Amino acid sequence: MSRPRVVVLRGHNVNVWDLRPLERLTGEYDVSVLLTGSNLHQVEGLGLPIVPARTPRDSLPAGRAAGAAAYALGERYLGLRDQLAGADVVHAAEIGTWFSAQAAKLKRELGFRLVLTVWETIAWRDAYRWPRERGYRRAVLPVVDLCLATTERARDALLLEGVPADRVEVAPPGIDLARFAAAERGGGGYVLSAGRLVWEKGHQDVLRAFAMLRETRPDLRLLIVGDGPERGRLESYARELGVAAEFRATVPYDEMPALYAGAEALVLASLPTKGWEEQFGMVLIEAMACGTPVVACASGAIPEVLGGAGTLVEAGDWRGLARVLASGAPGGAADLARYSVDAAAERTAAAYARVLSAPPA
């Protein structure tokens, strides 16, 4: 008997940390992922078959302008009907994305089940969406078979969006806990701030905190790991503040455990914006799995993910960050079993089995 075929769609956001649990399913399911030429993340180390895919954005110069132009034109996979032919499950993400909507429009013709991973924690409905996203949402909601909400907060947002409760399950992501736990602790003498170099990740607040720490913790170094459009501004700001921060471009995912383990603490200083709040914060569970203390802002889903572990400060409270780091971020035991890659894989396999055994939406 052939294995059910699963095709994973993530637009330009295919990444290792999101898809690692699916590697565990390849014996039971025939899983592959479409990878565009404009993908925004490294996929080195991803143990899934990768299928090249084209979109209009791939023909445009790189950069934010290309993304805006592709959006204006209507981003889409080219030839997606052929790539989804014969699929039993299409696993996309979010209810308001172009790739989820494109799959939704092909669902009844091709007969697959549509499963979505949902990180979004804000219920926008139609009133607060751009016109194009309104169309995407309206295409997806009637036909989605199951939404896998990564947090309770995301689940509640989906219910407010109008998704029936029986089509929503909470299914947190998972990491290889043993791999992170095996990294040798200590010795680094630095604080790690890891994430995209964008305003909402709050690296600028970490720099402000370190500027306050010069006298009380002159021994403490700052390592900022990530890529993004704010790098130049952040480097300039560090110089202006007199903070000797080291900036390191995004490293392969399998090298992250050593960086967490060497850090005195991980800081996630996320800031809410008009259109976004922290939806999960994978770095939180990765750091905790290494035994690294966590200091984070109480924004979005962060308190839920920490579950009482780590130290919380208010979003934007860079003085609070400085106070915690000056005294040494306290550690704390965290129950991470639900965030294991095996637990996440089991949840996903059960979700696939559920939708395949039920009538389509």
Side-chain angles (χ1 to χ4, degrees):
M1 183 177 177
S2 62
R3 296 171 296 163
R5 181 173 171 237
V6 178
V7 180
V8 178
L9 307 182
R10 289 296 186 272
H12 305 304
N13 290 288
V14 175
N15 61 73
V16 178
W17 58 90
D18 175 21
L19 301 183
R20 180 132 287 169
L22 299 186
E23 297 172 348
R24 299 292 203 274
L25 304 186
T26 54
E28 186 177 356
Y29 292 91
D30 177 10
V31 185
S32 61
V33 56
L34 300 193
L35 185 70
T36 73
S38 300
N39 200 63
L40 299 174
H41 305 281
Q42 293 184 355
V43 294
E44 180 180 346
L46 180 62
L48 290 174
I50 290 174
V51 179
R54 295 283 300 167
T55 74
R57 181 172 178 173
D58 299 337
S59 300
L60 299 171
R64 283 189 166 183
Y71 174 84
L73 293 170
E75 188 64 309
R76 62 198 181 279
Y77 291 105
L78 302 177
L80 186 63
R81 177 181 280 99
D82 291 339
Q83 290 171 312
L84 299 187
D88 298 288
V89 175
V90 173
H91 190 161
E94 308 296 358
I95 64 173
T97 58
W98 58 267
F99 49 94
S100 292
Q102 191 178 8
K105 292 172 182 177
L106 292 169
K107 178 179 182 279
R108 289 191 170 124
E109 174 189 345
L110 298 180
F112 54 76
R113 304 297 193 267
L114 181 60
V115 174
L116 304 181
T117 292
V118 177
W119 303 80
E120 179 59 71
T121 56
I122 302 173
W124 297 111
R125 299 291 296 211
D126 276 358
Y128 284 96
R129 291 184 190 273
W130 292 101
R132 197 178 291 278
E133 277 80 17
R134 292 175 194 165
Y136 296 155
R137 174 182 176 272
R138 292 172 183 174
V140 166
L141 288 188
V143 300
V144 63
D145 293 283
L146 188 61
C147 290
L148 300 178
T150 59
T151 61
E152 294 285 350
R153 192 177 181 92
R155 176 188 180 275
D156 290 345
L158 283 168
L159 298 182
L160 290 182
E161 287 282 5
V163 181
D166 62 356
R167 295 190 202 171
V168 182
E169 293 181 3
V170 178
I175 65 169
D176 188 339
L177 294 176
R179 182 180 181 87
F180 282 86
E184 186 174 352
R185 282 283 302 136
Y190 60 87
V191 166
L192 175 64
S193 183
R196 292 175 296 120
L197 302 189
V198 291
W199 185 89
E200 58 266 29
K201 284 296 183 178
H203 299 290
Q204 64 276 7
D205 277 346
V206 183
L207 289 170
R208 294 177 186 123
F210 261 76
M212 287 190 66
L213 288 170
R214 277 194 298 261
E215 294 183 4
T216 56
R217 291 295 307 274
D219 60 308
L220 198 58
R221 297 179 292 115
L222 174 61
L223 173 61
I224 297 178
V225 174
D227 288 319
E230 287 289 300
R231 176 162 183 159
R233 193 192 305 266
L234 288 167
E235 289 176 330
S236 177
Y237 196 43
R239 289 192 297 269
E240 291 175 349
L241 291 172
V243 175
E246 177 187 351
F247 287 81
R248 192 178 302 180
T250 301
V251 301
Y253 184 67
D254 288 340
E255 296 178 15
M256 286 301 296
L259 289 182
Y260 290 119
E264 181 172 309
L266 168 84
V267 176
L268 181 58
S270 294
L271 299 167
T273 72
K274 181 179 179 180
W276 182 86
E277 63 181 15
E278 187 63 65
Q279 297 170 347
F280 191 91
M282 291 292 290
V283 296
L284 301 172
I285 58 174
E286 292 164 357
M288 289 190 292
C290 289
T292 302
V294 169
V295 186
C297 290
S299 173
I302 288 176
E304 178 183 336
V305 173
L306 285 178
T311 303
L312 289 171
V313 301
E314 291 302 313
D317 186 8
W318 48 271
R319 295 185 301 168
L321 290 175
R323 286 192 293 270
V324 173
L325 294 173
S327 60
D335 183 7
L336 299 178
R338 70 194 301 258
Y339 296 129
S340 76
V341 69
D342 290 323
E346 289 174 6
R347 287 189 289 266
T348 305
Y352 292 167
R354 172 184 165 182
V355 297
L356 288 172
S357 64

